[in-house]
Amino acid sequence: MSVKVRFAPSPTGKLHVGNVRTALVNWMFAKGQGGSFVLRIDDTDIARSTPEFEQGIEDDLTWLGLVWDERHNQSRRFDRYEEAAARLKAAGRLYACYDSSEELDRRRKVQLSRGLPPIYDRAGLALTDVEKEGYEAEGRKPHWRFRLDGRRVAWEDLSRGHAEVDTASMSDPVLIREDGLFLYTLPSVVDDIDMVITHVIRGEDHVTNTGAQIEIFEALGGPTPAFAHMPLLVGEDGQALSKRLGSLSIAEMRDKDYEPIAITSHLGRIGTSDPLEVGQSIDALGASFAFAKMGRSPARYDTADLDRLNAQALHAMDYGTARARLAALDVDLGETFWTGVRGNLQKFTDVVEMATIVRGPVTPTIEDPAFAQAALAALPATIDETLWPVWTAAVKEATGAKGKALFMPLRMMITGQSHGPDMATLAPMIGRERIVKRLNGETA
């Protein structure tokens, strides 16, 4: 059977690095196996889901190169969830409970005070029809719980190895709320069965849930997919990222001018044995992915690593790839310009500053007017690609300056900056007219 995975984000907020990493690993695993990637929008919470966030999810995934093979909305599949719920009710696996949140909280406190695990006592299973009618008469609506078998559920986890969960130590999970809203679990299992999802790949915080979900798969007739639970992301300080994810949305990272391949290379390779370098392409990342490379320790997310990869991606970008973006910024000064400045870029938009050095206006920094005039006198009449070595040799002969004392003042006078791209590339592009004006102290 061909590999088929899914990413099921809720359109109640922006995608951040945590859930994009999940999407990316699913995509890489599927593509590396020649399989398919399903985008399944978890919009069963109609009140909180918005078209804007849904569109944002699609835009972010597309920008990152995580193109899906199928797309579904769970809000269009309520009839299937109702059918599955009816089957579970008929089989005695889904039962009505009328406990209020206050009553449940009170019982948990009593259990804890007695040293007992705070799991649901299945009071709903013992209700008679008369008692249920009484609750209904009071205006109470039931929530519906799935009756667990209370056994050890085992599976071979692609990331963690052999895993077991004892469902006897868990509360029967609520699958349907009092207001009739389906919670995540039942729609997810129904869709995984209907869509023939072969592998469920997610964070290790879902390990405990897997025991209950496998029982639901079996109760609905399966098939049960394989599971992989990845180590979670932590920050550079080793602390959980969860409280900081709002500042790490993909939309915000795009606005900050990060390259998609830098983001996917970073998220796809942290926590693995692969070197933390930029991949040649998103497809190459997929081809090189393997769960065997994934460590068991939390994956450390460090923005400094992302910045390094972003610069690396730009330094390797060819002119053909950059050209349209240069034109959009009105700084397409040709291939020689791009190849000359790309090695100094940290973000793509830094190229605007590089273009200003060439086209102006630049206010020169002249500390020694006499040196500036000597350089002006030595400036060749004809400007070509040999300008810089010929000119600096002439200035050296005229002034006796050498090394940093020669090159730094010339750079400062011509570019107004103490660092930047190779002057042998920039100087001919700046042109004689601008160089003369700058040596004379004029902004040009």
Side-chain angles (χ1 to χ4, degrees):
M1 181 181 296
S2 178
V3 166
K4 192 175 187 182
V5 302
R6 46 74 166 177
F7 175 54
S10 176
T12 56
K14 296 180 179 180
L15 288 185
H16 52 68
V17 295
N19 46 33
V20 164
R21 177 171 175 254
T22 299
L24 174 63
V25 172
N26 272 277
W27 189 94
M28 290 192 300
F29 176 72
K31 296 307 174 182
Q33 301 290 321
S36 56
F37 174 72
V38 177
L39 174 59
R40 195 167 74 207
I41 302 296
D42 177 8
D43 54 353
T44 54
D45 189 343
I46 303 296
R48 297 179 59 229
S49 299
T50 71
E52 292 76 18
F53 284 133
E54 184 174 337
Q55 186 62 53
I57 289 169
E58 293 189 13
D59 292 344
D60 289 344
L61 293 178
T62 301
W63 181 70
L64 290 170
L66 304 181
V67 180
W68 50 92
D69 301 290
E70 293 180 23
R71 188 196 179 288
H72 304 275
N73 281 70
Q74 290 189 316
S75 61
R76 299 171 188 167
R77 293 177 48 79
F78 284 121
D79 58 337
R80 287 290 299 121
Y81 312 144
E82 294 288 358
E83 291 172 14
R87 287 176 56 195
L88 293 176
K89 290 174 184 178
R93 299 302 296 272
L94 197 60
Y95 63 96
C97 302
Y98 291 83
D99 320 87
S100 67
S101 57
E102 293 79 11
E103 290 167 343
L104 291 171
D105 185 56
R106 187 163 52 248
R107 294 212 290 271
R108 278 193 294 267
K109 290 178 179 177
V110 170
Q111 288 171 314
L112 288 171
S113 69
R114 295 176 179 174
L116 300 173
I119 63 176
Y120 182 61
D121 59 7
R122 290 184 165 174
L125 277 176
L127 293 176
T128 65
D129 289 341
V130 173
E131 288 172 320
K132 293 177 183 179
E133 290 171 2
Y135 283 130
E136 295 279 353
E138 293 175 10
R140 293 201 194 191
K141 298 293 183 183
H143 57 272
W144 295 81
R145 291 180 182 266
F146 177 78
R147 179 176 57 77
L148 296 168
D149 285 336
R151 59 183 172 88
R152 297 199 71 81
V153 178
W155 70 95
E156 296 304 316
D157 198 284
L158 274 70
S159 179
R160 299 167 61 85
H162 184 75
E164 292 187 8
V165 170
D166 185 359
T167 60
S169 65
M170 301 167 56
S171 293
D172 290 340
V174 176
L175 301 190
I176 307 174
R177 297 194 327 191
E178 291 88 344
D179 59 3
L181 181 70
F182 289 99
L183 297 182
Y184 165 80
T185 305
L186 184 59
S188 177
V189 170
V190 171
D191 289 347
D192 286 345
I193 293 172
D194 287 356
M195 297 171 192
V196 199
I197 300 300
T198 62
H199 296 76
V200 172
I201 303 168
R202 55 193 181 183
E204 62 184 10
D205 51 332
H206 289 283
V207 168
T208 301
N209 302 337
T210 301
Q213 288 167 10
I214 287 176
E215 287 200 18
I216 299 172
F217 273 106
E218 293 172 349
L220 290 173
T224 301
F227 290 89
H229 293 89
M230 306 177 293
L232 300 179
L233 287 179
V234 296
E236 58 268 26
D237 56 1
Q239 300 300 309
L241 268 187
S242 55
K243 294 183 179 179
R244 284 172 279 170
L245 288 176
S247 63
L248 292 170
S249 74
I250 298 304
E252 183 174 331
M253 295 171 79
R254 182 166 62 247
D255 290 343
K256 289 182 177 179
D257 207 24
Y258 283 103
E259 299 298 310
I261 190 61
I263 296 172
T264 52
S265 296
H266 187 214
L267 291 175
R269 288 182 167 173
I270 51 176
T272 75
S273 59
D274 282 332
L276 194 52
E277 304 293 339
V278 169
Q280 291 184 345
S281 66
I282 185 71
D283 291 322
L285 289 175
S288 67
F289 176 80
F291 279 109
K293 298 179 180 181
M294 190 171 286
R296 292 294 300 274
S297 301
R300 191 175 296 270
Y301 183 93
D302 190 339
T303 302
D305 287 330
L306 175 61
D307 289 337
R308 176 178 62 82
L309 295 181
N310 199 74
Q312 189 182 100
L314 293 171
H315 299 170
M317 186 179 293
D318 60 47
Y319 176 64
T321 302
R323 187 172 185 175
R325 294 170 66 182
L326 292 170
L329 294 171
D330 191 28
V331 291
D332 183 7
L333 305 186
E335 185 170 3
T336 300
F337 167 74
W338 171 250
T339 55
V341 304
R342 64 183 178 182
N344 289 81
L345 304 179
Q346 300 300 307
K347 301 287 182 63
F348 191 90
T349 49
D350 293 345
V351 74
V352 173
E353 182 180 359
M354 303 299 173
T356 299
I357 293 173
V358 173
R359 297 188 302 196
V362 168
T363 300
T365 299
I366 300 178
E367 296 179 352
D368 185 346
F371 184 87
Q373 290 305 304
L376 178 58
L379 184 66
T382 301
I383 302 297
D384 58 24
E385 66 276 2
T386 67
L387 168 63
W388 188 247
V390 170
W391 184 30
T392 53
V395 175
K396 178 180 179 180
E397 183 176 349
T399 64
K402 58 184 178 179
K404 185 176 181 180
L406 169 65
F407 298 113
M408 184 59 72
L410 287 175
R411 178 182 285 276
M412 295 288 287
M413 289 186 289
I414 296 172
T415 70
Q417 299 180 0
S418 61
H419 60 278
D422 181 17
M423 290 300 298
T425 299
L426 285 189
M429 298 184 69
I430 294 170
R432 196 176 197 282
E433 181 180 352
R434 291 191 186 90
I435 291 175
V436 168
K437 287 182 179 180
R438 294 175 190 178
L439 291 175
N440 282 322
E442 300 176 38
T443 296

